[in-house]
Amino acid sequence: MGAQQRVFKAKINSTKSLRKIFKAMELIAASRIQKAIGRVKAASPYANAITRAVSAVATYADVEHTLTTEPETIRRAAVVVMGPDRGFAGAYSSNVIREAEELITMLKDDGKEVDLYVVGRKPETYYTFRERAIQRAWTGISESPTVEAAKEIGDTLVSSFHTDYEAGGIDEIFLVYTRFVNSVTQTPEYRRLIPLEVIEADEVPVDAPANVASTKDVVYPLYEFEPSEEAVLDALLPKYIESRILAALLNASASEQAARQQAMKTATDNADDLIRTYTRLANSARQAEITQEISEIVGGADALAGAGGND
């Protein structure tokens, strides 16, 4: 076998090995994405219920709460970047980091300081490599977020929010994550978490009238709060914040699996194209080698025939 054929043979074998890995990762991501989507849907009823409860309190309770009142001056903001722990997900990680960088630039242009909090090894590595200070990092939870992790993140952020600015406290909190739309579309975005912006759920409550087309059309009943509006807010807001963080983590998890499935599908298709290309080049090299050998044989026979005629 010629040198060129050996080179192409080695490339074909290595590409086939990589293709097996890509295909396996595609199948694993395809199986995990269904579970991730199921968790997003399973968390929706609780998120919808607590959103309605907080909306009712915010609408009918005439009280001021530290988590719902806009500060007079916002001097320091916290940005929580939710990314993946592993790679092989195409542009998923870079897209969410790009969204975070745009938010950070906007906040700094407004004269605000920024504290970084990250979820996932990829954003942690990105900011650590660039020597950017990270206040807190949570890793190992991007693919399978838990309620406990969401509560820990929420408690950390709320604790910093209640801390004075001079002691390193923050005045507002933003979440940067990738919202799962479907298996093809995932949208990186940011949302302000605190001071509280009540985010209406996309689904209409099951007990809403038939003519209600969206949650904006829902008319809440009159409520009486016991023991007081402040006590209800104190009990509801931590749960609400925890549910928003968990919802963001679950959306990010589903988006990560969908992005990884797409990336591995593309890598598998590219590997197939490479194998076909290398096979064609190897066949061409083999044909050229055969043609050269035939030419040498014919040339040698002609030379021998000419030498015999001269004798």
Side-chain angles (χ1 to χ4, degrees):
M1 184 181 291
Q4 279 189 320
Q5 290 189 59
R6 286 195 294 270
V7 170
F8 289 129
K9 185 67 174 177
K11 289 183 177 180
I12 290 171
N13 290 336
S14 62
T15 305
K16 285 182 176 179
S17 298
L18 288 174
R19 185 194 180 281
K20 292 179 180 179
I21 297 174
F22 297 151
K23 189 63 177 178
M25 294 185 69
E26 177 191 351
L27 295 176
I28 292 173
S31 64
R32 288 179 176 176
I33 190 175
Q34 297 304 321
K35 181 180 179 181
I37 294 174
R39 293 193 66 191
V40 173
K41 292 181 178 179
S44 296
Y46 175 79
N48 293 343
I50 198 167
T51 298
R52 295 192 68 206
V54 173
S55 298
V57 178
T59 301
Y60 295 110
D62 187 18
V63 295
E64 291 188 359
H65 196 278
T66 55
L67 297 182
T68 59
T69 304
E70 190 79 19
E72 294 182 1
T73 303
I74 297 178
R75 293 168 289 182
R76 182 181 293 123
V79 176
V80 185
V81 185
M82 297 181 176
D85 285 307
R86 300 189 298 122
F88 295 99
Y92 169 72
S93 178
S94 59
N95 285 342
V96 72
I97 290 175
R98 185 182 301 112
E99 186 76 10
E101 288 297 293
E102 292 178 0
L103 172 61
I104 292 171
T105 301
M106 182 185 70
L107 294 173
K108 289 184 176 179
D109 290 342
D110 291 339
K112 302 174 184 177
E113 301 176 29
V114 176
D115 282 355
L116 271 174
Y117 295 81
V118 298
V119 178
R121 291 189 178 89
K122 285 296 181 179
E124 181 186 24
T125 302
Y126 175 87
Y127 290 113
T128 301
F129 179 77
R130 288 159 179 77
E131 298 182 350
R132 305 269 290 275
I134 298 176
Q135 302 300 319
R136 181 74 184 274
W138 293 270
T139 59
I141 62 174
S142 67
E143 292 190 26
S144 299
T146 62
V147 175
E148 291 76 16
K151 186 177 186 306
E152 181 181 349
I153 296 173
D155 291 345
T156 301
L157 296 175
V158 172
S159 175
S160 297
F161 184 79
H162 286 310
T163 303
D164 293 336
Y165 169 79
E166 291 75 12
I170 53 180
D171 300 313
E172 63 179 350
I173 301 171
F174 289 88
L175 299 181
V176 185
Y177 65 100
T178 305
R179 181 168 59 88
F180 179 82
V181 180
N182 52 51
S183 297
V184 179
T185 306
Q186 302 87 42
T187 307
E189 62 182 24
Y190 64 85
R191 295 284 180 90
R192 192 172 78 160
L193 182 65
I194 302 175
L196 197 62
E197 290 180 344
V198 177
I199 303 169
E200 294 291 352
D202 295 331
E203 298 180 2
V204 177
V206 294
D207 56 348
N211 60 346
V212 172
S214 69
T215 52
K216 295 181 180 180
D217 300 325
V218 176
V219 178
Y220 294 107
L222 294 177
Y223 288 91
E224 291 183 0
F225 303 101
E226 293 183 359
S228 65
E229 291 91 339
E230 293 87 347
V232 173
L233 277 175
D234 287 339
L236 278 180
L237 288 177
K239 298 296 183 182
Y240 177 81
I241 292 169
E242 178 184 320
S243 72
R244 298 318 310 176
I245 294 175
L246 180 60
L249 289 172
L250 292 175
N251 271 271
S253 175
S255 299
E256 178 183 349
Q257 298 302 334
R260 182 167 291 116
Q261 181 187 12
Q262 294 176 36
M264 292 300 98
K265 176 65 167 59
T266 302
T268 301
D269 294 341
N270 290 340
D272 290 334
D273 292 339
L274 279 176
I275 292 172
R276 284 192 293 268
T277 299
Y278 288 145
T279 301
R280 184 169 59 252
L281 291 174
N283 291 339
S284 298
R286 181 171 177 272
Q287 185 63 42
E289 183 180 343
I290 293 173
T291 302
Q292 182 179 357
E293 290 177 355
I294 292 174
S295 298
E296 290 174 353
I297 292 172
V298 171
D302 290 342
L304 289 175
N310 291 333
D311 292 342

